[in-house]
Amino acid sequence: MLFSEHNLTLRPARYGSIEVICGSMFSGKTEELIRRLKRAQYARLNVEIFKPSVDKRYDEKLVVSHDSNSIPSTPVENSSAILLLSSATQVVGIDEAQFFDDGLSEVCVKLANNGIRVIIAGLDMDYKGQPFGPIPSLMAIAEHVTKVHAVCMQCGAPANYSYRLIADTQTVLLGEKEAYEPRCRQCYYQLDRQND
Ligand SMILES: Nc1ncnc2c1ncn2[C@@H]1O[C@H](COP(=O)(O)OP(=O)(O)O)[C@@H](O)[C@H]1O
Ligand SMILES: Cc1cn([C@H]2C[C@H](O)[C@@H](COP(=O)(O)O)O2)c(=O)[nH]c1=O
Ligand SMILES: [Zn+2]
């Protein structure tokens, strides 16, 4: 079945589910997460939003998109804290999930099995084009996976890679446009364009 929030509202409330929103940097993951969470708040559902405390780029306690949309959140050190803080919740949102430990999948399964709608946003690939943290496992166990795309900064095509502009080989390197640009496959791998 295609993803539709309409189908979610048709479910009996005792069933939870896992949704993953993934893609490159600047692809609109956070905007889509905020959109789904605000709609849940309009429906008067009890919503809790978490992000890893390591991500302090825009604001310590807000989830903020590159377009300055925001929603209050709770920064947490690890995935087990999400379980502890979600007991009275109907919808759980998690941003920057690539930075969480591998226990995040088990936490999300427990939440969903307890009837909670879990919505996760995160990078599916790191700057090397490799699967990033717990996101690939979460994609495997999720009911719904939405892959969003940025615009390639080199050619304007849909972009699914995050190209690192600075010479630093650590996997985790917080940053914005000074450090990364979204690119399509051709531009990321600098493939030959002569057959275009
Ligand atoms: N190259 C780009 N492609 C698409 N959006 C971009 C680009 N550069 C900046 N943006 C901005 O980023 C916003 C998406 O931000 P956000 O939801 O925070 O993305 P993500 O969480 O995937 O990094 C877009 O609405 C747009 O305003
Ligand atoms: C590709 C890549 C990214 N990061 C960092 C850079 C940003 O701080 C976040 C991603 O933020 P966004 O909301 O998806 O734009 O992750 C990193 O640490 N390592 C990487 O390889
Ligand atoms: Zn391109």
Side-chain angles (χ1 to χ4, degrees):
M1 190 193 296
L2 289 178
F3 175 75
S4 158
E5 281 169 311
H6 182 65
N7 294 329
L8 289 175
T9 57
L10 292 175
R11 285 163 183 267
R14 66 180 182 278
Y15 297 121
S17 60
I18 300 175
E19 296 160 42
V20 173
I21 304 161
C22 64
S24 70
M25 290 182 67
F26 306 99
S27 60
K29 302 180 298 296
T30 301
E31 282 181 353
E32 177 61 13
L33 176 69
I34 292 172
R35 189 187 73 82
R36 292 186 195 181
L37 293 173
K38 286 193 171 165
R39 285 173 61 84
Q41 288 174 333
Y42 282 123
R44 297 197 187 84
L45 296 172
N46 192 342
V47 176
E48 290 287 346
I49 304 141
F50 300 98
K51 67 175 189 174
S53 46
V54 65
D55 183 37
K56 296 188 167 74
R57 276 178 305 165
Y58 290 114
D59 188 287
E60 202 144 328
K61 291 201 167 177
L62 290 175
V63 162
V64 185
S65 80
H66 293 297
D67 227 7
S68 304
N69 292 325
S70 67
I71 195 164
S73 72
T74 304
V76 289
E77 291 290 330
N78 51 48
S79 62
S80 53
I82 297 175
L83 201 54
L84 293 174
L85 296 168
S86 300
S87 54
T89 305
Q90 292 162 297
V91 180
V92 165
I94 305 170
D95 200 16
E96 303 295 348
Q98 73 275 358
F99 293 139
F100 278 105
D101 50 279
D102 288 340
L104 186 61
S105 291
E106 204 179 317
V107 166
C108 291
V109 168
K110 283 185 181 156
L111 294 172
N113 290 355
N114 283 335
I116 294 172
R117 178 183 174 195
V118 186
I119 315 172
I120 301 147
L123 291 170
D124 46 5
M125 287 187 278
D126 64 17
Y127 79 100
K128 290 181 177 163
Q130 297 298 311
F132 205 161
I135 299 291
S137 304
L138 286 160
M139 289 166 74
I141 60 171
E143 272 89 351
H144 305 286
V145 177
T146 304
K147 185 149 176 164
V148 283
H149 293 80
V151 174
C152 174
M153 294 301 284
Q154 298 289 312
C155 76
N160 56 323
Y161 294 95
S162 307
Y163 184 86
R164 189 175 280 176
L165 298 164
I166 55 180
D168 187 318
T169 58
Q170 298 174 85
T171 300
V172 175
L173 175 72
L174 301 188
E176 297 295 323
K177 287 197 163 166
E178 78 298 342
Y180 298 94
E181 70 176 27
R183 289 193 178 183
C184 71
R185 176 181 296 279
Q186 274 188 319
C187 296
Y188 177 82
Y189 286 108
Q190 292 164 18
L191 300 174
D192 195 351
R193 282 184 180 271
Q194 65 189 8
N195 294 327
D196 281 0

